[in-house]
């Protein structure tokens, strides 16, 4: 009789011990559940409070805080990644870092080739952005690592905490570079503007001799409709100084404010602090200050029309027909070219100069902060094709150097400003100022601290406004005879 040795062997093997599941004590489980519930409740409250505006005035432009947050995030990232497992060190981490580097490179290339951002990136951007992506991608990998002992808790906790720290640090450091969002409320779009019917009721109210103007100006969600141009644009805003609510509103000077690309209209009032600057000027001049009409000339945050009529829309017609009609009609301010001007930053500065030189019967004052020498979409061939449909004559009609050499501009005043770190802006401003002076135009040029960012534009507007207002008043009484000046050189 044969013997089944396999069966015999199986019978002789001792039974494997039953695997038992180690359960947490009930007390520890209850603490974990309570901590999770408390954390969720805290996160919910913080989210609600943020959207409700509780943190609107928390500043974001603090380099020390931004740098400290990024350093802490990177330290947490390294702590979460620490380990000696062969597979982790020789395979997982190198693949993770390579993937992040490729991703950051592709994003930078995409922004550049699409024309969304044409300025050079500071080298540190790659580190800040890369750290954020590395924390996001590495967190799940750390949570899946099979670690034992106390290392399980602190490494995983560090990996989780590194995500918000590196992302927030990168955001603040990039924001520090450009100055786009001074406060948390600016990120959320909390402009503090009066909107809807209330805005129309406010400007339609009586402005009799006995009416006491308010102590401060107000922002209204009022947009110039594209009645003639049919230009698709984002809603603009208006800042009205205190004197607007008195009997002299019709004679107030007007400044049309243009941001660059990328950008949003409200940037001028918040990032450029034009609201605070105008309000401060009004406080020293019995409430009188320019009405600031902030409009969108690009159609989107990354659009770039260079303020000409093109396949991208009739931006020039919008700014020279529809916007003036809105100012005289809705805002009830009489048109006087001698007291109307355009202030622009970056692409907005290019627009300001081109629009005034092309339409001095509508606007006569230019403030150009860091604009280009002429309408520009990155390279000459693309600019000629996209903006002017290949029409060289149309392009030349929008070239400031050509306009300055072929026309005369009595009563026009020009301001060119650039940050000390903006070499291109300094060179362009010098070239354009020299051309304008040869044409006999009242011209000012200055270089101030900062770069091609909103910190410079904010300081520049505060520097320019008092003398600009003087010129807007005096030019209406006695048009300039063509002398040149450098009242704000630096």
């Amino acid at each position: 009789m044969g013997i089944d040795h396999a069966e015999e062997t199986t019978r002789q093997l001792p039974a494997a011990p039953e695997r038992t599941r180690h359960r947490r004590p009930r007390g520890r489980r209850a603490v974990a559940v309570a901590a999770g519930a408390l954390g969720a409740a805290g996160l919910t409250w913080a989210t609600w409070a943020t959207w409700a505006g509780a943190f609107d005035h928390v500043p974001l432009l603090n380099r020390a805080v931004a740098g400290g947050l990024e350093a802490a995030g990177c330290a947490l990232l390294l702590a979460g990644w620490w380990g000696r497992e062969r597979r982790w060190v020789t395979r997982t981490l190198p693949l993770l870092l390579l993937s992040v580097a490729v991703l950051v490179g592709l994003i930078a290339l995409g922004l550049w080739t699409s024309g969304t951002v044409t300025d050079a990136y500071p080298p540190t951007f790659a580190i800040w952005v890369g750290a954020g992506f590395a924390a996001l991608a590495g967190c799940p990998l750390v949570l899946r690592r099979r670690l034992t002992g106390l290392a399980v808790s602190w490494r995983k906790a560090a990996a989780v905490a590194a995500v918000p720290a590196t992302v927030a640090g990168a955001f603040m450091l990039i924001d520090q570079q450009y100055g786009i969002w001074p406060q948390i409320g600016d990120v959320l779009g909390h402009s503090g503007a009066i909107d809807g019917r209330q805005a129309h009721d406010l400007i339609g109210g009586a402005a009799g001799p006995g009416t006491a103007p308010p102590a401060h100006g107000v922002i209204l969600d009022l947009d110039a409709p594209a009645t003639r141009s049919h230009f698709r644009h984002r809603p603009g805003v208006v800042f009205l100084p205190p004197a607007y609510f008195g009997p002299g509103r019709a004679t107030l000077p007007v400044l049309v404010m243009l941001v660059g690309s990328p950008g949003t209209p409200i940037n001028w009032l918040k990032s450029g602090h034009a609201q605070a600057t105008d309000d401060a000027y009004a406080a020293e001049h019995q409430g009188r200050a320019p009405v600031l009409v902030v409009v969108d000339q690009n159609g989107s945050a990354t659009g770039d029309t260079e303020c000409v009529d093109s396949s991208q829309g009739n931006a020039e017609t919008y700014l020279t027909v529809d916007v003036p009609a809105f100012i005289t009609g809705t805002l009830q301010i009489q048109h006087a070219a001698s007291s109307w001007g355009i202030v622009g930053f970056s692409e907005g500065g290019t627009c300001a100069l081109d629009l005034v030189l092309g339409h001095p019967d509508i606007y006569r004052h230019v403030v150009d902060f860091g604009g280009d020498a002429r309408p520009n979409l990155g390279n000459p061939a693309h600019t000629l094709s996209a903006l002017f449909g290949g029409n060289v004559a149309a392009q030349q009609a929008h070239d400031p150097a050509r306009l300055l050499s072929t026309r005369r501009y009595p009563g026009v005043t020009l301001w060119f400003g650039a940050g000390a770190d903006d070499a291109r802006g300094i060179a362009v401003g010098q070239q354009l100022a020299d051309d304008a002076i040869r044409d006999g135009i009242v011209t000012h040029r200055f270089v101030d601290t900062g770069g091609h960012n909103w910190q410079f534009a904010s300081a520049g507007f505060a520097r320019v406004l008092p003398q600009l207002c003087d010129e807007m008043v005096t030019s209406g009484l006695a048009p300039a005879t063509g002398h040149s000046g450098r009242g704000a050189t630096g």
Side-chain angles (χ1 to χ4, degrees), residues 443-489:
T443 305
H444 313 270
R445 188 183 71 85
F446 69 92
V447 176
D448 213 331
T449 57
H452 193 78
N453 53 30
W454 280 108
Q455 291 94 323
F456 161 73
S458 172
F461 185 63
R463 176 175 181 166
V464 164
L465 186 62
Q467 189 172 345
L468 174 64
C469 288
D470 289 344
E471 291 178 344
M472 294 173 83
V473 172
T474 57
S475 65
L477 298 175
T481 58
H483 68 282
S484 63
R486 292 189 176 234
T489 55

Side-chain angles (χ1 to χ4, degrees), residues 223-233 256 293 295-296 309 313-331 340 362-363:
D223 179 57
T227 307
R228 285 276 301 278
S229 66
H230 306 292
F231 177 63
R232 293 184 179 180
H233 62 283
V256 174
V293 181
V295 297
D296 173 37
D309 289 347
N314 296 325
E316 184 173 1
T317 300
Y318 176 66
L319 293 163
T320 58
V321 176
D322 292 328
V323 171
F326 165 76
I327 296 170
T328 58
T330 301
L331 297 183
W340 283 25
I362 302 175
Y363 309 102

Side-chain angles (χ1 to χ4, degrees), residues 103-315:
L103 178 61
V104 172
L106 288 174
I107 291 174
L109 181 63
L111 291 173
W112 182 266
T113 55
S114 66
T116 302
V117 178
T118 57
D119 295 329
Y121 304 106
T124 50
F125 274 25
I127 299 174
W128 303 334
V129 175
F133 279 120
L136 286 166
C139 184
L141 299 177
V142 174
L143 295 179
R144 292 174 57 188
R145 290 173 69 186
R146 296 180 179 179
L147 304 174
T148 58
L150 187 61
V152 175
S153 299
W154 72 262
R155 288 184 188 175
K156 292 184 177 182
V160 172
V163 175
T166 54
V167 171
F171 173 81
M172 289 186 66
L173 285 167
I174 293 173
D175 188 33
Q176 183 73 36
Q177 182 72 25
Y178 298 112
I180 298 175
W181 297 289
Q183 300 176 328
I184 287 180
D186 301 319
V187 179
L188 302 175
H190 296 171
S191 65
I194 299 172
D195 60 1
R197 175 55 58 185
Q198 186 179 0
H200 286 278
D201 289 345
L202 190 61
I203 64 173
T211 303
H216 300 283
V218 296
I219 305 176
L220 304 183
D221 272 331
L222 287 176
D223 179 57
T227 307
R228 285 276 301 278
S229 66
H230 306 292
F231 177 63
R232 293 184 179 180
H233 62 283
R234 295 165 294 169
V237 291
V238 174
F239 179 76
L240 303 177
Y244 181 86
F245 302 99
R249 71 165 57 169
T251 61
L252 287 175
V254 174
L255 290 175
V256 174
M257 315 290 286
L258 303 177
V259 299
S261 177
T264 57
I266 197 65
N267 287 152
W268 250 124
L269 296 186
K270 297 301 184 178
S271 312
H273 296 96
Q275 171 190 359
T277 298
D278 208 55
D279 227 8
Y281 181 87
E284 297 178 356
H285 295 83
Q286 294 77 49
R288 290 185 64 85
V291 170
L292 307 182
V293 181
V294 191
V295 297
D296 173 37
Q297 79 275 20
N298 288 320
S300 68
T302 57
D304 188 354
T305 68
E306 298 291 311
C307 298
V308 303
D309 289 347
S310 69
S311 59
Q312 300 183 58
N314 296 325

Side-chain angles (χ1 to χ4, degrees), residues 4-27:
D4 190 337
H5 294 284
E7 182 180 351
E8 183 69 22
T9 303
T10 303
R11 284 199 298 266
Q12 291 176 356
L13 290 174
E18 183 180 354
R19 301 181 90 180
T20 58
R21 185 177 180 182
H22 297 283
R23 297 185 177 181
R24 288 184 181 180
R26 291 184 178 180

